[in-house]
Amino acid sequence: MDPELEPHSSGSDGQEGDHPAPKRVKRGSVRRKPACQACRRRKVRCDNAQPACGFCCANETECVYVTRGDDGCKHRPPESEIHDRRGSVPIRAAEWQRDYLQIPAGRCSADTVLTWPIFQGQFRESSLITTLFHYSHGASEDRPTESWTLPDGLQYTPDEQIPTLVDRFIQNVHIKNPILDLESLIQSGRHAAEFGLQWDARSCLILLACALGCISQPFTTSIQFPQTARSLHDGMGWRAPGFNSSSGTQLREGEAFFMMACRRIGLLRYSVIGAQCHFFAGVYLMYTFRPLSGWNHFYQASTFYRLRLRLIDGLDKSVYEAEQPGASVTQRLDQSLYWSCFKSEVEIRVELPLPQSAIAEYEYPALFPTPPTLSEEYPRRRDQTSDWANSENTNQSPHDDPAGLPERGVYNHVSKLFNEEQSWYYYLTEVALRRIGNRVLNAFYREAPSTWSNIKPLIPIALEFESQINAWFANLPPAMQTYESDPTLSNTGQRYTTDIQDSICRELSWALSNRFLEIRLWLYQPFLFFAVHHPMSTTSIATENPTSSLTEDEFGIVQGLVESGLDCSNKILQARCLRHRHHGIWFDLRALVTASLIFIALARSGNVSLPNIHPGGLRSHLSRTLEALTYWEDEAPDIKKARGTLDNLLRDLS
């Protein structure tokens, strides 16, 4: 019997409970139906429902059964039979609801919007990002970070500061990508402070943590909007924004740590810690506006990880797990590392036409990474409970008693740095939104924008996606929705506070809000394109293109989606121009440019009235965006070019 046709059992020898192993099925006898491919791969019980099982319906994945036939091929139910148990969906659901791991690159970016017909061929393809691919002395992508000599102006931070910088890294960076064993990281940092750094992978990781600890800041104490953007020259051919020399000093110290890490990256092996080092090197480069170099390290992290998976796949996994003293911790870190590598690659490919590593060809068995339980992973029991709404007992500074770490235990130290439950809820939501976002990109962006002129087939798909996105947002914990709804926030979107946990909670809420806005704009962009290039009246649409004319109801839906797109674009302009240096700052600025170009395109066409526009006109409406772009442009040549492009388009419009 072909073992691939049999469902997985719980016994170690193909047995289930006390029943003997199944014998060869005789001709004419009744045999148990085989599990679908997804359930067999994930080793879960399949209910064999047709045409899609309950597990695949619940997780919105394609359900494929393998049946024995003359040619041994796979048979899939016809698209018209694919169903959703929560209600009917369009016939195309089998295709656009698939859980894609690969996406069309650079199809919904600001560069693509500039190629819309409304701009009459003024801009060539990828006109804004070409500067990233042009290397010149002193450009942001050609900084001397890989050299073996230290440029003038850089100086090393004393080793005794390493534990403090590692703590800062955990608070400001690790909380959004929980892929490290914090016990090992903290102990390694203290060992390096006492005995010095070595030339091994662990020291490389500590140096990267210190580099990010230098340049990262708590969300609510970041630089807010000054009246005039000012920059400081740091002696390396690139400039850093800030009010005083302390910001420049932090960037110089961070760059020194990063350069020391780069000297060790070439010595890394194909291991988990090697992938972790490359990943956080990519995070540091995104903090400092070097997306191409960042992508290279994310690509390397994915390559390291994929090679390790292949090695493990070739071994007896039960033997491998038995050899690991902390197998559950190891597996959890493996899962989260996979999703962080995958997410980071996809995020950059949304903006840049770059290839994707082999990690996207591997469908990871776990739909989501498994959250940790610190009380089980560390020997000390919890002396406090995690609560979304309660942070009064974590106001003590994490640096109050560094010498008391052994007595207090690792968990007590980590719990004062950040709220683990908040971190993992944010991370799991990010993974879920990444999957939904990939479906949106594959549903709407596989072909050129010109296909959006026939908007009718996209209406039911957009409504289903909109329903899914709204349901996800509505089910977030209240603490993750506070950023949009909190009336006490200032007009700059921030509120000063000395509470570390409150600052972290607000940053996670703000980041999730941005992710929802990003996916919504992808969803609405085809309808905004339609509104730009077609008069928004039922009569004119029917006259212009009778074969795809919209009914009155359909036209009303399109109008509603366009209005939602305008509202989404406005919210992006309000929320994503904060002067907070973080992993996604370059993405924030690119989103501002995309939303601004959509407003300019709509104003050019005159097909849609633009409500809630500043009385001073579109330039006044986009003033905060222009100020934010100006503030950062000395570090990012493509952002400087984008700001100049917006200036010129607004001048032409007036």
Side-chain angles (χ1 to χ4, degrees):
M1 177 177 291
D2 185 354
E4 287 296 317
L5 300 179
E6 289 301 310
H8 286 283
S9 59
S10 58
S12 60
D13 297 319
Q15 299 179 355
E16 185 172 353
D18 297 325
H19 297 289
K23 299 179 179 179
R24 183 180 299 275
V25 179
K26 297 181 180 179
R27 182 175 299 178
S29 63
V30 178
R31 59 182 293 174
R32 183 176 179 180
K33 294 181 179 180
C36 73
Q37 292 285 74
C39 291
R40 183 162 62 248
R41 182 171 56 251
R42 294 179 170 87
K43 297 184 180 181
V44 297
R45 185 175 297 277
C46 182
D47 62 12
N48 300 117
Q50 295 287 345
C53 74
F55 178 85
C56 292
C57 284
N59 292 280
E60 299 177 352
T61 59
E62 185 181 30
C63 190
V64 180
Y65 290 94
V66 177
T67 59
R68 185 183 299 278
D70 295 335
D71 57 358
C73 64
K74 296 181 180 180
H75 295 274
R76 300 184 182 184
E79 288 189 355
S80 59
E81 295 182 8
I82 297 293
H83 67 285
D84 185 334
R85 296 187 176 184
R86 295 169 299 178
S88 60
V89 296
I91 291 177
R92 289 183 62 184
E95 177 67 16
W96 59 264
Q97 289 279 31
R98 287 182 61 188
D99 207 8
Y100 292 99
L101 294 182
Q102 299 188 33
I103 63 166
R107 293 289 184 86
C108 53
S109 65
D111 294 77
T112 302
V113 175
L114 284 174
T115 65
W116 287 5
I118 191 66
F119 294 108
Q120 301 176 339
Q122 287 179 257
F123 306 95
R124 63 177 181 174
E125 189 176 354
S126 302
S127 61
L128 300 180
I129 60 174
T130 52
T131 54
L132 292 176
F133 296 86
H134 292 164
Y135 287 85
S136 61
H137 180 70
S140 64
E141 283 294 332
D142 195 30
R143 298 174 196 161
T145 56
E146 308 292 340
S147 67
W148 290 77
T149 58
L150 206 62
D152 294 338
L154 292 188
Q155 59 183 8
Y156 295 129
T157 301
D159 288 348
E160 57 265 24
Q161 294 299 315
I162 288 178
T164 299
L165 293 174
V166 168
D167 285 353
R168 195 179 300 165
F169 161 81
I170 293 173
Q171 284 182 325
N172 300 333
V173 182
H174 178 270
I175 186 171
K176 289 166 284 189
N177 283 285
I179 66 173
L180 299 179
D181 181 349
L182 294 185
E183 178 181 26
S184 175
L185 182 71
I186 292 171
Q187 291 176 348
S188 296
R190 293 181 178 275
H191 185 274
E194 185 174 357
F195 300 102
L197 292 159
Q198 306 300 316
W199 286 89
D200 57 358
R202 181 61 57 182
S203 294
C204 182
L205 185 61
I206 291 297
L207 286 167
L208 290 168
C210 290
L212 284 162
C214 284
I215 66 174
S216 63
Q217 291 182 332
F219 180 66
T220 49
T221 58
S222 294
I223 299 171
Q224 290 190 298
F225 296 92
Q227 294 297 320
T228 304
R230 298 193 299 171
S231 300
L232 294 171
H233 195 278
D234 67 357
M236 294 189 298
W238 54 292
R239 296 163 65 133
F243 283 116
N244 50 53
S245 59
S246 62
S247 296
T249 299
Q250 292 167 355
L251 287 169
R252 287 190 290 270
E253 291 175 349
E255 196 71 8
F257 276 113
F258 181 69
M259 291 182 62
M260 293 172 66
C262 286
R263 298 176 183 179
R264 292 161 171 80
I265 281 182
L267 305 177
L268 299 176
R269 297 181 178 181
Y270 296 113
S271 61
V272 170
I273 192 171
Q276 291 168 340
C277 288
H278 275 292
F279 175 81
F280 282 111
V283 172
Y284 177 86
L285 290 164
M286 295 306 298
Y287 262 82
T288 52
F289 292 94
R290 288 171 272 185
L292 271 184
S293 296
W295 167 81
N296 179 58
H297 281 284
F298 291 137
Y299 192 98
Q300 291 297 321
S302 299
T303 301
F304 272 45
Y305 188 71
R306 185 68 184 96
L307 285 173
R308 181 180 177 278
L309 284 176
R310 286 183 176 175
L311 290 174
I312 294 176
D313 286 343
L315 301 173
D316 183 345
K317 292 186 178 181
S318 62
V319 175
Y320 167 78
E321 293 170 359
E323 293 176 350
Q324 304 298 318
S328 61
V329 179
T330 301
Q331 292 169 0
R332 175 180 61 77
L333 294 176
D334 280 1
Q335 293 171 3
S336 57
L337 177 60
Y338 167 87
W339 285 111
S340 287
C341 291
F342 168 71
K343 285 190 325 95
S344 297
E345 271 197 55
V346 172
E347 286 170 359
I348 293 183
R349 293 184 73 245
V350 169
E351 298 294 335
L352 301 177
L354 296 169
Q356 189 158 296
S357 73
I359 198 171
E361 300 172 1
Y362 179 81
E363 186 175 357
Y364 199 83
L367 287 173
F368 294 96
T370 304
T373 303
L374 288 183
S375 59
E376 296 176 358
E377 293 182 9
Y378 300 118
R380 300 295 183 112
R381 293 181 56 86
R382 298 187 184 208
D383 57 1
Q384 59 187 11
T385 58
S386 177
D387 192 334
W388 282 94
N390 182 14
S391 59
E392 289 82 356
N393 55 354
T394 56
N395 290 338
Q396 182 181 355
S397 170
H399 314 303
D400 285 351
D401 184 22
L405 179 62
E407 291 75 22
R408 185 170 65 231
V410 174
Y411 174 76
N412 290 334
H413 181 73
V414 171
S415 67
K416 292 182 179 180
L417 297 176
F418 73 104
N419 185 314
E420 177 199 29
E421 184 178 352
Q422 289 179 350
S423 173
W424 271 88
Y425 201 104
Y426 163 82
Y427 188 67
L428 294 174
T429 304
E430 273 277 284
V431 172
L433 292 179
R434 182 73 270 156
R435 301 163 78 102
I436 295 176
N438 280 15
R439 296 173 202 159
V440 173
L441 292 171
N442 280 283
F444 292 151
Y445 294 91
R446 282 186 164 185
E447 300 176 355
S450 58
T451 60
W452 296 338
S453 292
N454 182 18
I455 202 69
K456 189 170 185 174
L458 304 183
I459 296 175
I461 302 176
L463 292 177
E464 177 65 18
F465 275 134
E466 188 178 53
S467 175
Q468 291 180 19
I469 296 168
N470 291 339
W472 262 102
F473 187 80
N475 285 284
L476 288 178
M480 291 288 99
Q481 300 181 27
T482 55
Y483 187 80
E484 280 193 346
S485 59
D486 193 338
T488 64
L489 293 176
S490 66
N491 58 1
T492 60
Q494 292 189 356
R495 183 180 66 188
Y496 284 110
T497 178
T498 58
D499 189 287
I500 295 174
Q501 300 294 340
D502 181 65
S503 176
I504 292 174
C505 182
R506 290 189 174 280
E507 181 171 14
L508 297 183
S509 173
W510 174 72
L512 278 185
S513 175
N514 288 342
R515 185 69 73 196
F516 277 102
L517 290 174
E518 176 184 58
I519 297 175
R520 284 182 173 126
L521 189 58
W522 297 343
L523 170 62
Y524 298 130
Q525 196 175 125
F527 299 91
L528 293 167
F529 173 93
F530 184 84
V532 167
H533 300 97
H534 299 83
M536 292 300 289
S537 67
T538 53
T539 304
S540 59
I541 290 176
T543 303
E544 180 181 341
N545 192 358
T547 60
S548 62
S549 60
L550 303 175
T551 65
E552 185 175 348
D553 289 342
E554 290 170 337
F555 179 71
I557 293 173
V558 170
Q559 283 185 316
L561 292 170
V562 170
E563 291 173 1
S564 296
L566 288 173
D567 179 65
C568 178
S569 299
N570 262 326
K571 288 181 177 179
I572 287 175
L573 296 178
Q574 295 168 8
R576 303 196 73 169
C577 56
L578 302 187
R579 292 169 194 181
H580 170 61
R581 186 185 293 272
H582 64 109
H583 181 175
I585 180 62
W586 183 74
F587 299 109
D588 285 347
L589 300 178
R590 292 279 293 177
L592 291 175
V593 176
T594 302
S596 300
L597 289 174
I598 289 174
F599 273 109
I600 292 173
L602 289 167
R604 272 194 170 197
S605 72
N607 292 337
V608 179
S609 61
L610 299 177
N612 302 321
I613 294 297
H614 192 279
L618 193 55
R619 177 176 286 275
S620 297
H621 190 69
L622 301 179
S623 61
R624 287 182 62 195
T625 293
L626 295 172
E627 290 173 4
L629 298 177
T630 302
Y631 184 80
W632 295 106
E633 66 179 18
D634 288 327
E635 289 192 67
D638 62 311
I639 299 303
K640 185 173 185 177
K641 187 171 184 179
R643 195 265 304 158
T645 300
L646 290 179
D647 266 334
N648 293 334
L649 288 173
L650 289 170
R651 189 180 303 113
D652 294 342
L653 194 63
S654 60

